[in-house]
Amino acid sequence: MNGKIAVLALQGDFAAHGRRLREIGLDSFEARKPEQLERAAGLVVPGGESTTLWKFFESAPWEDAIRRFAATGRPVLGTCAGAIVLAREVTHPSQKGMGLLDVTVERNAYGRQIDSFVGEVDAPEFGKTLPAVFIRAPRIRRVGPGVEVLATRGGEPVLVRQENVFAATFHPELTSDTTVHELAFGARRLAQRTA
Ligand code: GLN
C-alpha cells in the first residue's frame, strides 16, 4: 500500500495501532485534524470512549472527513469505540452512529462483572483463533445483509467488514497478533473474494 495510514489520535489507545502497523511494514501518522485524512492511505479509528470521540467529531468537521474518506474506498478499521462510531445503530445507551457499517451495536454489553477480559475469537477464514482483548466492549446485535462476519466469539460476530470498512469489538492492537491490521491494510485483503 502506498502512503501512510492515519491513526485518529483524538483520545484512546492510538499509539498501539501505530506499533502494530509498523510490525507489518506500514507507516502511519497520528491524525489530529480532519484535513489530514485527505492524504492518508487508510484510517484507524481506535478504541477509547465513543461519547468522547463524538465530542471531538462535533468540534471540527471530522464526520464529513471520515465519510468522504470511506466513500473513496480506502480501508477504514474501527476498534471498540471506533466500531461504535462507525455503526448504523447504537444502543445502551443509544447514540448517533455514522452508518458506515450496517450493524447494530450495544455498548458496554458484557455486564459489569466481566466488563473486560482477554479471550480467543474464532476466525475460520484464517484457520486459527485470534487472541482478543475486550475492554468494556460492545456486542454486535444485528448484522445487515452487506456485512461479512470475519470472526466470532460464542457464535456472535466480533470482527466484521462491509466493503472497505472493518470493525472489531475487541482491541487487536493490544496483542502481538497482527492479523486484523494485515486484513484491513495489508496483504490479507479479502476484497477480491467478495467483490
Ligand atoms: N465502552 C466504550 C464505549 O461505549 C468503548 C470501550 C473501548 O473502546 N474499549 O464507547
Side-chain angles (χ1 to χ4, degrees), residues 17 43-46 75-88 100-105 121 130 134 138-140 143 147-152 156-173 180 183-185:
H17 281 284
L43 171 65
V44 176
V45 186
V76 179
L77 169 64
T79 59
C80 203
I84 295 170
V85 299
L86 298 176
R88 167 146 303 161
L100 295 178
L101 196 62
D102 184 16
V103 296
T104 301
V105 295
V121 302
L130 308 177
F134 290 84
R139 281 166 114 146
I140 297 173
V143 170
V147 178
E148 186 181 5
V149 176
L150 300 170
T152 57
E156 289 181 13
V158 291
L159 173 64
V160 294
R161 166 196 177 215
Q162 184 170 352
E163 296 176 355
N164 55 317
V165 181
F166 294 77
T169 60
F170 56 95
H171 288 264
E173 75 285 6
V180 174
L183 177 64
F185 303 115

Side-chain angles (χ1 to χ4, degrees), residues 46-51 79-82 84 95 107-108 135-138 171:
E49 188 58 46
S50 55
T51 47
T79 59
C80 203
I84 295 170
Q95 74 186 18
R107 297 176 59 204
N108 304 310
I135 304 170
R136 290 181 299 107
H171 288 264

Side-chain angles (χ1 to χ4, degrees), residues 2-135:
N2 293 321
K4 293 185 181 183
I5 312 290
V7 180
L8 210 70
L10 300 174
Q11 60 103 223
D13 69 330
F14 47 85
H17 281 284
R19 288 195 285 274
R20 291 286 93 78
L21 291 166
R22 179 101 299 277
E23 283 161 11
I24 56 169
L26 296 176
D27 287 330
S28 65
F29 69 95
E30 294 179 356
R32 294 193 168 81
K33 291 188 174 146
E35 57 271 24
Q36 289 179 290
L37 301 194
E38 283 163 26
R39 59 183 169 86
L43 171 65
V44 176
V45 186
E49 188 58 46
S50 55
T51 47
T52 310
L53 275 175
W54 272 113
K55 283 191 188 125
F56 281 106
F57 290 170
E58 277 153 18
S59 69
W62 278 108
E63 183 175 356
D64 188 48
I66 294 170
R67 281 183 190 288
R68 277 192 285 123
F69 185 90
T72 64
R74 286 172 284 177
V76 179
L77 169 64
T79 59
C80 203
I84 295 170
V85 299
L86 298 176
R88 167 146 303 161
E89 206 178 354
V90 180
T91 65
H92 192 241
S94 97
Q95 74 186 18
K96 186 175 171 181
M98 284 195 202
L100 295 178
L101 196 62
D102 184 16
V103 296
T104 301
V105 295
E106 180 184 334
R107 297 176 59 204
N108 304 310
Y110 286 94
R112 269 191 206 160
Q113 270 149 29
I114 51 155
D115 73 347
S116 300
F117 56 97
V118 181
E120 298 275 318
V121 302
D122 298 312
E125 293 272 359
F126 312 110
K128 60 174 184 175
T129 59
L130 308 177
V133 180
F134 290 84
I135 304 170

